[in-house]
């Protein structure tokens, strides 16, 4: 099946089986390997991308469903200017081994767009679909709550 | 892993969807994919034909209509949480489904038709005496939630029918939702409860994950309305549910917790 | 100076932008995908390995034990574990055959089409029955190791005898990146192995021995967590991909799915620990008798040293005039257990801390007061006869109490729980943790680090990998500060065994302290060499003179030498067990839902003696992450085995680790009691966060709802049941 969508602002077209996982299409067809596979069943969140703005598990999205959609992956998050959450994660030590980090950043970015000033608890709710085994989440939450002031504000 | 799907149907309108359903009664119906994709990945489902309703208009709306409030089957948990128009019981349940990324894709219709006994929203429909609207090219029918789940993963939906939505009648009374899992997000229920109690009028004590289907405790409800002591109601709840030992919990725990939740709620009213 | 500040981690932007390349992100030309055919029996003779004739094998390569070029041994401590089971399988999920195919789907399908016939043998799962059991799994008696330490003087004062049995279960490391490895053929007939690993030289040694030649280099890819789970296991996986690459002449990758990773890879050793103490009426410990059993699973892996660390830590941070400690680790027919953060010490100290609570209960002494009375003081002697210098037990206790004085901000409870009865409880527990290898480990390894001046930059060559803890950042900081230059000019090279010397494995809380110390000495050696040739001056002016004299490559190599004052007798287990100890105190504030037994973690205060916080943010990150892993072990994480010893809850939906919502707010106090043998005074901190939290949780639950639990995990089911007994 030919599937057309926008990925990180670029129009792309892939010819793949319709039920291919979006995660595989991103990693194998488009060679965007920043989205990671930690479980393959929508539990760990390492594959989180944004489809039309919403954070989703790309391992659970069949590619046929993104025909015509606009997708942002970690590679597109800070492509031109580093996203405030990435800066804050760097400063606050929110990344350790880094395997869950792209997914966390995508969930955080989706949260911050709707809620630029999240409380710590709101941040925890928004990040609860991203398992991290390194940080204990403290510094991730620190970073997300500290990235509420993008440049200029 | 991609499945060897040979036919994919992506209707844009409800009419098309019903026609395709009639022609392809064997196709696997999928909306947000959060269950179907897991089954495919784990090898428990090997669909050859898929009817994808994600892009189908006419399923993702919510409105007050005569006789109550209608929720389209295609509404996601996130839609419910953002609308602010849904019943608090439903909002509470939707907020406990998976995590944000799942809530963004998981639909009400999917949760209902997947029919997992642990489905988080299912007791809510029982507690709210919801009616389910299903349709085929032959016409529409309404099914009370209480008779929709007929056995483990067995639902009252004919091969040519699609699930359109849920009608919640106007009801009164105290309500309570409680989900017990091992963690606070990304958790599959060990016990899930939705209750509604209108003293002297009616009551509904509905559970998930304590039997092969979501279920009401009818004897306990009758006793409650009749003014029985809370301990007696709790005792009946524990007798009526049919929990099992499984990978997530034990029958003993489920039975005890189910009763405790009901006791806590009723004594706090 | 960069030491003591928290510069952004070196690999941070790469990881945050998704550019960092993990093993599964590599796809070399001609790549084939491998898959593993595993035993579905606990203990059986393998009668035949056959290909399903109905399957299309045209593009599939199959490898079995018969195809091995060298000894069928995963080289580690003992030679008991085969690379591929040959003739007999001793645990479910044991690898029996390998396949390679052009796609992952084909490889998995082919693995399913390899049919194995077995003749079942009796199997053994109870570690308490293992010794001398008719079912033979290891050696003559199924005992991997028994260790006995006796030290001190028995007393005959009036005392109370207090006994208890404590248990811990299996725990999965649950790195978020599953095991992954690629082997690529080299032009010289050898191989390059690239993958997710902690210890490149473990892999290097194992594969070279299998190959029977040295044409091999092993490169660490960016690694998505290890926690011990990528200490020894990757050696086997590397042997597998090399076998397939050799058989096909093409690069081969194996990346485990999560289910396979959960079922097949190592876990934390379960333990059963009996403690008996004689205690004075005032609560002073007079004698500690410990009998500890650990379940090693079907092969030895690192069980001997896990046992040794358990026994050496079982007394906790408490003085005692007489120790009689015995531990046994045995073989059973479960998948082998292995390294996991803490390495036996968490199990042992869970027991001792619960036992301290039991003593407090029986004597009617406050548990905190009991600890005050018994904590190690300066000059106290441990069970190995080691006299402690600067023990930090009191310092961390005071620091934790100070940090916990602030009011607890309770979490908002989620909808549905607003009417619940949540009872508050606070628990406190303490731990010590020996930093670096036990005993003469470092003397055997003699870890090396090289520095090379490249242009204006200094390259650090080591095999110490960054698995999240921050090696890529810490080593440059140490070297830069020692040389007196900006850390921007110092970088770690790729950890490629073809280039870097063997610094020893990335384990045992030794990387910053031991290898970091070697980095410091290497930098001193570099400066010394320049000064010897060119007189006084700062690094840059000396370097200029070196260049002006056209002296060529400037490279030094430093070897870690154990301080001659450190004495250790591996036969009697007497002497200096560790070069130094870290100390920790944990104060947990939680609430228990009396209706469900669920625990809500509100706040966890930790105070940890880190020697010197080289980078406070990285140090806090280690401690917070380790503490949450311990909270998971305490109340959520349980491995459920079926009758064959196979993990039933092999998914992330049913092996439950904490989410951001489950995690408490952490208050992390770093206490700095410098260790002269560590760089800038630093001690190892990787593992100590795992030691104390579970016991603090148990005490807090006991305080909250009266449930006394001596076995881990304390799932809601068990908490609720224990409340009922009350």
């Amino acid at each position: 099946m030919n599937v057309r969508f926008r990925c990180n602002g670029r129009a792309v077209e892939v010819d793949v089986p319709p039920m291919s996982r979006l995660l595989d299409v991103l990693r194998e067809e488009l060679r965007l390997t920043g989205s990671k596979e930690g479980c393959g069943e929508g539990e760990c969140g390492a594959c989180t991308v944004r489809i039309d703005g919403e954070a989703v598990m790309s391992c659970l999205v069949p590619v046929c469903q993104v025909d015509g959609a606009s997708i942002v992956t970690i590679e597109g998050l800070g492509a031109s200017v580093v996203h405030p959450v990435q800066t804050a994660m760097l400063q606050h030590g929110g990344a350790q081994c880094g395997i869950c980090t792209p997914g966390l950043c995508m969930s955080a970015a989706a949260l911050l767009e709707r809620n630029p000033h999240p409380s710590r608890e709101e941040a925890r709710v928004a990040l609860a679909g991203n398992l991290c085994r390194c940080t204990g989440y403290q510094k991730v939450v620190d970073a997300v709550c500290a990235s509420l002031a993008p440049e200029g504000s | 892993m991609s499945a060897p799907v040979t036919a994919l149907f992506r209707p844009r309108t409800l009419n098309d969807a019903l026609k395709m359903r009639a022609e392809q009664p064997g196709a696997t119906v999928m909306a947000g994919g959060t269950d179907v994709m897991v089954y495919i990945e784990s090898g428990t489902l090997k669909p050859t034909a898929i009817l994808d309703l994600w892009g189908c208009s006419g399923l993702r709306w919510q409105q007050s209509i005569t006789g109550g409030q209608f929720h389209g089957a295609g509404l996601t948990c996130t839609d419910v949480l953002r609308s602010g128009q849904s019943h608090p019981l439903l909002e509470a349940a939707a907020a406990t489904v998976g995590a944000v990324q799942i809530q963004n894709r998981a639909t009400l219709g999917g949760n209902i038709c997947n029919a997992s006994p642990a489905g988080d929203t299912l007791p809510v429909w029982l507690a709210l005496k919801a009616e389910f609207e299903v349709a085929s090219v032959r016409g529409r029918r309404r099914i009370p939630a209480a008779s929709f789940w007929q056995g483990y993963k067995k639902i009252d939906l004919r091969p040519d029918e699609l699930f359109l939505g849920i009608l919640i009648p106007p009801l009164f009374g105290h309500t309570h939702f409680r989900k017990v899992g091992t963690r606070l997000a990304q958790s599959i229920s060990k016990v899930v409860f939705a209750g509604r109690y209108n003293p002297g009028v009616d009551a509904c004590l509905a559970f998930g994950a304590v039997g092969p289907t979501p279920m009401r405790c009818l004897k306990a409800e009758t006793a409650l309305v009749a003014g029985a002591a809370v301990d007696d109601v709790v005792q009946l709840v524990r007798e009526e549910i049919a929990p099992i030992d499984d990978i997530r919990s034990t029958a003993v725990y489920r039975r005890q917790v189910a009763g405790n939740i009901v006791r806590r709620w009723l004594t706090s009213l | 100076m960069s030491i003591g500040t928290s510069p952004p981690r070196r690999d941070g932007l790469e990881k945050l932008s998704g550019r960092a390349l993990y093993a599964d992100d590599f796809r070399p030309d001609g790549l084939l995908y491998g898959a593993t055919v595993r035993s579905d029996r606990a203990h059986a003779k393998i009668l035949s390995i056959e290909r399903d004739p109905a399957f299309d094998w045209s593009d599939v390569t199959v490898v079995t034990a018969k195809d091995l070029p060298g000894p069928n041994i995963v080289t580690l401590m003992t030679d008991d574990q085969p690379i591929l089971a040959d003739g007999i399988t001793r645990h479910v999920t044991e690898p029996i055959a390998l396949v390679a195919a052009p796609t992952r789907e084909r490889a998995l399908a082919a693995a399913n089409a390899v049919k194995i016939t077995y003749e079942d043998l009796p199997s053994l799962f109870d570690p308490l029955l293992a010794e001398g059991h008719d079912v033979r799994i290891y050696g003559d008696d199924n005992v991997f190791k028994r260790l006995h330490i006796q030290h001190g003087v028995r007393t005959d004062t009036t005392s109370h005898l207090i006994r208890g049995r404590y248990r811990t279960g299996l725990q999965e490391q649950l790195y978020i990146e599953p095991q992954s490895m690629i082997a690529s053929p080299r032009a010289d007939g050898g191989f390059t192995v690239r993958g997710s690993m902690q210890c490149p030289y473990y892999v290097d040694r194992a594969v070279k021995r299998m190959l029977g030649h040295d044409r091999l280099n092993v490169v660490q890819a960016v690694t998505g967590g290890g926690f011990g789970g990528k200490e020894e296991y990757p050696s086997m996986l590397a042997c597998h991909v090399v076998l397939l690459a050799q058989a096909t002449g093409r690069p081969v990758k194996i990346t485990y799915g999560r289910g396979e990773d959960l079922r097949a890879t190592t876990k934390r050793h379960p333990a059963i620990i009996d403690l008996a103490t004689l205690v004075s009426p005032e609560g002073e410990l007079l004698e500690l008798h410990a009998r500890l059993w650990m379940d090693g699973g079907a092969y030895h892996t690192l069980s001997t040293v896990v046992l040794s660390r358990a026994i050496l830590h079982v007394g906790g941070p408490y003085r005692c005039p007489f120790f009689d400690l015995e531990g046994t680790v045995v073989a059973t027919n479960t998948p082998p257990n292995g390294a996991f953060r803490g390495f036996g010490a968490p199990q042992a100290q869970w027991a001792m801390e619960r036992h301290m609570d039991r003593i407090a209960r029986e004597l009617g002494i406050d548990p905190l007061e009991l600890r005050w009375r018994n904590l190690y003081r300066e000059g106290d002697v441990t069970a190995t006869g080691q006299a402690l210098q600067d023990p930090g037990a009191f310092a961390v206790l005071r620091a934790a109490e100070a940090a916990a004085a602030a009011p607890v901000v309770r979490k908002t409870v989620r909808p549905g729980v607003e009417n619940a009865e949540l009872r508050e409880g606070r628990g406190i527990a303490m731990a010590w943790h020996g930093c670096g290898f036990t005993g003469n480990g470092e003397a055997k390894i003699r870890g090396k680090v090289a520095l090379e001046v490249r242009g204006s930059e200094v390259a650090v060559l080591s095999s110490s990998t960054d698995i999240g803890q921050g090696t890529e950042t810490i080593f440059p900081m140490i070297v830069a500060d020692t040389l007196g230059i900006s850390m921007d000019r110092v970088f770690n090279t790729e950890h490629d065994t073809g280039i870097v010397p063997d610094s020893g494995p990335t384990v045992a809380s030794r990387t910053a302290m031991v290898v970091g110390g070697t980095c410091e000495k290497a930098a001193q050696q570099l400066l010394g060499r320049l000064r010897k040739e060119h007189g006084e001056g700062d690094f840059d002016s000396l370097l200029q003179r070196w260049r002006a004299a056209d002296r060529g490559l400037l490279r030094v190599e430093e070897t870690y030498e154990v301080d001659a004052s450190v004495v250790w007798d591996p036969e009697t287990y007497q002497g200096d067990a560790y070069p130094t100890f870290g100390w920790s105190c944990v104060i947990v504030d939680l609430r228990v839902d009396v209706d469900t037994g669920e625990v809500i973690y509100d706040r966890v205060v930790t105070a940890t003696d880190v020697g010197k916080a080289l980078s406070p943010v990285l140090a806090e990150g280690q401690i917070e992450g380790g503490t949450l892993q311990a909270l998971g072990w305490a109340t959520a994480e349980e491995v459920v085995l079926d009758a064959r010893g196979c993990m039933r809850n092999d998914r992330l939906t049913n092996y439950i680790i904490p989410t951001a919502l489950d995690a408490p707010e952490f208050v992390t106090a770093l206490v700095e009691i410098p260790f002269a043998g560590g760089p800038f005074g630093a001690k190892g901190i990787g593992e100590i966060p795992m030691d104390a939290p579970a016991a603090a949780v148990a005490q807090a639950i006991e305080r909250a709802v009266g449930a006394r639990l001596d076995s881990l995990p304390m799932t809601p089911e068990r908490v609720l049941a224990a409340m009922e007994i009350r």
Side-chain angles (χ1 to χ4, degrees):
Chain A
M1 174 183 179
N2 263 317
V3 185
R4 284 177 214 166
F5 55 97
R6 293 191 75 75
C7 186
N8 299 331
R10 207 162 45 87
V12 297
E13 183 172 351
V14 291
D15 185 16
V16 290
M19 290 298 285
S20 303
R21 305 184 307 173
L22 176 59
L23 175 63
D24 293 333
V25 173
L26 294 172
R27 289 180 57 85
E28 302 295 331
E29 302 294 322
L30 304 179
R31 298 302 293 148
L32 296 170
T33 56
S35 304
K36 307 299 185 187
E37 176 164 357
C39 69
E41 55 174 355
E43 285 288 318
C44 77
C47 66
T48 303
V49 302
R50 294 176 72 185
I51 300 179
D52 297 328
E54 307 285 12
V56 303
M57 310 282 193
S58 64
C59 74
L60 295 187
V61 177
V63 71
C64 60
Q65 292 190 338
V66 302
D67 196 34
S70 176
I71 294 171
V72 178
T73 70
I74 187 66
E75 289 87 351
L77 183 68
S80 49
V81 181
V82 177
H83 190 278
V85 79
Q86 292 170 312
T87 309
M89 288 278 277
L90 198 59
Q91 282 167 353
H92 289 263
Q96 287 190 25
C97 86
I99 195 80
C100 71
T101 305
L104 274 167
C105 287
M106 298 311 290
S107 289
L111 165 72
L112 291 166
E113 200 169 287
R114 297 188 66 84
N115 179 0
H117 304 281
S119 67
R120 292 184 73 80
E121 299 216 354
E122 285 168 338
R124 288 182 184 278
V125 170
L127 302 176
N130 295 84
L131 296 177
C132 168
R133 194 62 155 167
C134 290
T135 63
Y137 304 102
Q138 184 81 8
K139 297 193 184 305
V140 179
V141 174
D142 290 349
V144 171
C145 292
S147 53
L148 50 78
E151 60 279 13
S153 70
Chain B
M1 223 184 316
S2 54
V5 173
T6 51
L8 172 73
F9 304 95
R10 307 197 70 218
R12 294 288 157 196
T13 67
L14 201 47
N15 275 342
D16 286 352
L18 293 174
K19 270 186 233 155
M20 290 175 185
R21 183 67 173 150
E23 289 159 13
Q24 297 287 331
T28 297
V29 180
M30 172 176 75
T34 52
D35 286 316
V36 167
M37 291 298 279
V38 172
Y39 298 146
I40 292 175
E41 176 69 11
S42 66
T44 51
L45 179 70
K46 293 181 170 120
T48 50
I50 297 266
L51 178 58
D52 173 19
L53 300 178
W54 183 249
C56 181
S57 63
L59 287 171
R60 199 169 172 177
W61 59 285
Q62 180 176 356
Q63 200 178 329
S64 293
I65 58 171
T66 319
Q69 200 184 35
F70 187 83
H71 285 76
L75 287 171
T76 64
C77 292
T78 299
D79 292 337
V80 167
L81 292 170
R82 285 190 190 151
S83 81
Q85 304 295 310
S86 295
H87 194 284
L89 273 189
L90 179 56
E91 283 190 2
T96 66
V97 171
V100 171
Q101 298 99 308
I102 302 296
Q103 291 163 11
N104 284 340
R105 301 287 290 189
T107 63
L108 298 182
N111 202 234
I112 291 165
C113 293
N114 182 48
S116 160
D120 294 316
T121 69
L122 308 194
V124 170
W125 310 120
L126 292 175
L128 298 180
K129 295 195 170 170
E131 285 194 313
F132 297 157
E133 185 158 297
V134 304
S136 69
V137 288
R138 295 174 289 112
R140 298 186 175 214
R141 65 187 178 110
R142 281 195 184 165
I143 311 157
S147 61
F148 186 72
W149 299 287
Q150 299 174 323
Y152 178 73
K153 293 233 165 191
K154 192 167 176 297
I155 55 176
D156 181 11
L157 193 68
R158 292 163 197 158
D160 64 342
E161 286 179 329
L162 289 176
F163 190 96
L164 299 190
I166 309 109
L167 183 72
I168 301 174
L171 285 168
F172 301 96
H174 307 282
T175 59
H176 184 59
F177 176 82
R178 178 72 194 266
K179 169 176 171 175
V180 179
T182 299
R183 62 184 165 198
L184 293 172
Q186 290 288 51
S187 186
I188 294 177
S189 294
K190 297 197 284 199
V191 175
V192 55
F193 170 75
R196 188 180 53 76
Y197 177 35
N198 194 2
V201 181
D202 71 336
C204 195
L205 305 173
F207 285 95
V210 295
T213 65
M215 63 175 292
R216 285 174 60 179
C217 298
L218 297 173
K219 287 180 196 156
E221 291 169 6
T222 308
L224 176 61
V225 176
V230 169
D231 277 348
D232 296 335
V233 175
V234 167
Q235 186 57 38
L236 286 169
V237 164
R238 289 186 174 141
E239 286 169 19
E240 283 183 81
I241 60 175
I244 56 166
D245 288 346
D246 64 13
I247 198 75
R248 291 178 223 290
S249 192
T250 64
V252 168
Y253 179 80
R254 290 174 156 130
R255 192 164 262 128
Q256 189 176 2
V257 165
N260 288 353
I261 290 171
V262 169
R263 176 187 287 115
R264 180 70 54 193
W265 175 49
L266 294 178
T267 53
S268 70
L269 294 177
Chain C
M1 288 287 281
S2 58
I3 296 293
T5 69
S6 299
R9 61 182 305 137
R10 264 300 159 74
D11 47 3
L13 211 51
E14 291 286 303
K15 288 174 171 175
L16 283 156
S17 62
R19 291 195 302 268
L21 293 175
Y22 297 74
D24 196 45
D25 301 337
F26 288 90
R27 198 177 66 186
D29 287 344
L31 179 68
L32 298 175
Y33 295 83
T36 312
V37 182
R38 297 181 181 279
S39 168
D40 62 7
R41 307 300 168 92
H43 197 192
K45 286 183 189 162
I46 299 169
L47 301 181
S48 69
I49 304 170
E50 279 157 21
R51 301 175 189 207
D52 180 352
F55 188 81
D56 169 16
W57 295 95
S58 57
D59 57 356
V60 178
T61 301
V62 182
V63 168
T64 67
K66 286 198 291 294
D67 304 305
L68 280 158
N72 188 5
I73 292 163
V74 181
T75 299
L76 192 65
M77 293 187 69
T78 55
D79 283 348
D80 61 326
Q81 186 172 20
I83 295 164
L84 291 169
D86 190 7
I88 187 164
T89 176
R90 294 180 183 84
H91 68 87
V92 75
T93 72
E94 183 166 15
I96 295 175
L98 304 165
V99 300
T103 68
R104 196 167 289 176
E105 288 80 358
R106 283 283 294 155
L108 291 171
N112 280 329
V114 174
K115 302 298 174 197
I116 299 172
T117 55
Y118 304 91
E119 179 189 323
D120 279 318
L121 298 169
S123 51
L124 164 63
F125 294 107
D126 186 342
L128 293 179
L129 300 180
E131 183 175 357
H133 196 282
D134 291 344
V135 174
R136 291 290 169 80
I137 304 165
Y138 181 86
D140 295 334
D141 57 2
N142 294 329
V143 173
F144 287 126
K145 177 81 175 176
R146 167 162 291 128
L147 196 58
H148 184 220
I149 301 179
Q150 206 176 75
H151 183 91
V153 184
R154 305 191 74 155
T155 45
D156 50 8
T157 51
T158 314
S159 57
H160 300 272
L161 172 64
I162 296 169
R163 293 169 175 277
R165 171 168 281 196
Y166 310 92
R167 289 173 182 265
T168 65
L170 291 159
Q171 186 188 18
E172 161 62 27
Q173 295 88 353
L174 218 111
Y175 32 75
I176 303 294
E177 177 207 27
Q179 304 270 357
S180 181
M181 200 74 65
I182 308 170
S184 303
R186 303 196 313 203
D188 65 356
F191 300 91
T192 294
V193 169
R194 187 184 293 272
S196 182
M197 66 182 77
Q198 294 176 221
C199 310
Y201 271 98
Y202 278 5
V203 173
D204 193 81
R205 274 193 289 278
V207 176
K208 280 177 178 166
R209 181 154 172 227
M210 177 188 78
L211 286 172
H213 65 72
D214 284 348
R215 296 189 300 280
L216 176 82
N217 65 315
V218 177
V219 190
Q220 184 221 13
V222 178
T223 296
F227 315 109
K230 292 171 185 169
E231 175 173 351
E232 76 276 21
Y233 195 88
S235 298
M236 173 184 277
L237 182 52
C239 288
H240 290 171
V241 287
V242 168
L243 277 175
L244 288 171
Q246 189 170 49
T248 60
R250 287 167 65 174
V252 178
K253 174 161 77 179
I254 296 182
T255 300
Y256 287 173
R258 179 59 64 185
E260 181 177 27
D261 195 298
L262 286 171
R263 290 187 300 272
T265 68
T266 56
K267 310 266 179 292
R268 184 184 299 288
H269 288 68
I272 300 161
I273 302 140
D274 284 347
L275 297 180
T277 44
L278 289 179
V279 188
S280 79
E282 295 74 37
E284 281 172 305
L285 296 177
L286 301 172
E287 295 189 11
L288 172 65
H289 300 258
R291 295 290 177 271
L292 179 150
W293 294 267
M294 283 184 151
D295 183 350
Y299 295 106
H300 178 279
T301 69
L302 298 158
S303 285
T304 295
V305 275
V306 171
L307 176 74
S308 135
R309 194 173 275 272
I311 283 294
L312 292 171
H313 287 79
V314 74
Y318 307 110
R319 58 198 333 208
C320 186
F322 180 78
F323 293 98
D324 179 28
L325 316 174
E326 187 185 272
T328 310
V329 61
V330 295
T332 65
N333 289 115
T334 65
N337 297 312
F340 190 164
R341 190 180 215 155
F343 212 71
Q347 295 96 311
Q349 296 193 80
W350 154 256
M352 186 60 187
E353 286 298 280
R354 285 312 283 152
H355 195 68
M356 290 298 276
D357 288 350
R358 181 184 297 252
I359 294 169
R361 206 185 297 133
E362 294 199 10
L363 296 188
I365 301 175
D366 177 78
L368 180 56
E369 176 61 30
L370 182 75
R371 285 168 172 81
W372 271 107
R373 289 180 196 176
N374 287 286
L375 287 174
Y376 274 127
R377 294 162 165 78
E378 179 70 27
D380 279 346
V381 173
T382 69
T384 67
Q386 180 171 5
L388 293 170
Q389 295 176 345
D390 289 335
F394 285 97
V396 295
L397 177 51
R398 278 190 290 268
E401 287 195 304
V408 181
V409 179
R410 301 281 170 189
K411 279 186 191 163
T412 314
V413 293
R414 301 190 75 192
V417 193
E418 55 282 279
N419 66 1
E421 184 179 339
L422 304 173
R423 295 210 189 138
E424 296 175 4
R426 169 174 287 194
I428 183 164
M430 302 197 61
W432 65 335
H433 201 98
C435 304
F437 276 129
T438 303
N440 54 350
E442 292 297 346
K444 279 195 207 157
I445 288 209
R446 302 187 75 239
K448 292 166 189 60
V449 170
L451 298 181
E452 241 177 62
V453 179
R454 298 179 180 175
S456 64
E457 295 186 326
V458 180
V460 185
L461 291 86
S462 81
S463 65
S464 295
T465 54
D466 196 322
I467 50 174
Q469 83 283 40
T471 312
E472 309 300 9
T473 312
I474 292 290
F475 284 5
M477 289 169 75
I478 291 170
V479 169
D481 279 19
T482 308
L483 295 176
I485 61 177
S486 157
M487 74 168 283
D488 300 339
R489 293 169 53 191
V490 187
F491 62 93
N492 287 2
T493 66
E494 202 167 42
H495 305 288
D496 176 345
T497 59
I499 299 166
V500 299
D502 186 356
S503 318
T506 308
V507 302
S509 308
R510 68 182 287 278
T511 296
M513 185 179 91
V514 172
V515 187
T518 311
C519 287
E520 184 186 19
K521 290 218 168 63
Q524 288 163 352
Q525 187 193 342
L526 183 63
L527 270 182
R529 183 146 158 212
L530 287 169
R531 287 188 177 135
K532 195 172 157 204
E533 306 254 348
H534 302 295
E536 286 307 302
D538 65 13
F539 177 72
D540 280 322
S541 59
L542 290 167
L543 189 58
Q544 250 176 1
R545 278 174 249 168
W546 173 279
R547 292 250 164 70
D550 204 11
R551 300 295 308 272
L553 178 69
L554 182 53
R555 184 182 204 273
V556 296
E557 189 168 288
E558 182 70 37
T559 301
Y560 184 81
E561 299 294 353
V562 176
D563 190 328
S565 67
V566 174
V567 178
W568 176 253
D569 181 345
E571 297 305 314
T572 61
Y573 260 64
Q574 291 294 299
D576 298 318
Y578 297 97
T580 187
F581 290 85
W583 307 84
S584 83
C585 180
V586 175
I587 300 178
V588 171
D589 281 289
L590 53 73
R591 285 171 292 166
V592 181
D593 185 325
V594 300
D595 294 327
T596 64
E598 292 171 291
V599 169
I600 297 171
Y601 291 113
D602 288 311
R603 187 183 73 181
V604 174
V605 171
T606 62
T608 311
D609 168 26
V610 302
K612 167 74 185 173
L614 298 171
S615 160
V617 163
L618 290 178
E620 289 162 10
Q622 282 295 290
I623 291 165
E624 288 158 5
T627 303
L628 188 62
Q629 216 164 29
L631 298 181
W633 190 45
T635 52
E637 296 178 36
E638 178 163 36
V639 175
V640 183
L641 301 181
D642 67 13
R644 302 167 303 153
C646 190
M647 184 170 178
R648 284 177 64 208
N649 50 333
D650 56 351
R651 300 167 61 181
L652 296 193
T653 59
N654 48 30
Y655 184 80
I656 303 293
I657 66 167
T659 70
L661 269 175
D662 301 289
E665 288 292 332
F666 287 106
V667 178
T668 307
L670 304 178
V671 176
E672 298 184 321
I673 302 173
F675 167 53
F680 302 87
K683 296 179 177 178
I685 59 167
E687 293 171 287
I688 192 167
M690 194 74 217
D691 289 340
V697 170
Q699 195 191 82
I701 291 172
E702 186 172 339
R703 283 245 172 80
V705 294
R708 293 172 193 167
L709 291 152
D710 290 328
S711 295
L712 289 179
M714 300 174 282
T715 57
E717 284 79 359
R718 297 200 180 108
V719 172
L720 200 64
M723 283 167 57
E724 281 196 308
I725 289 164
R726 177 182 63 102

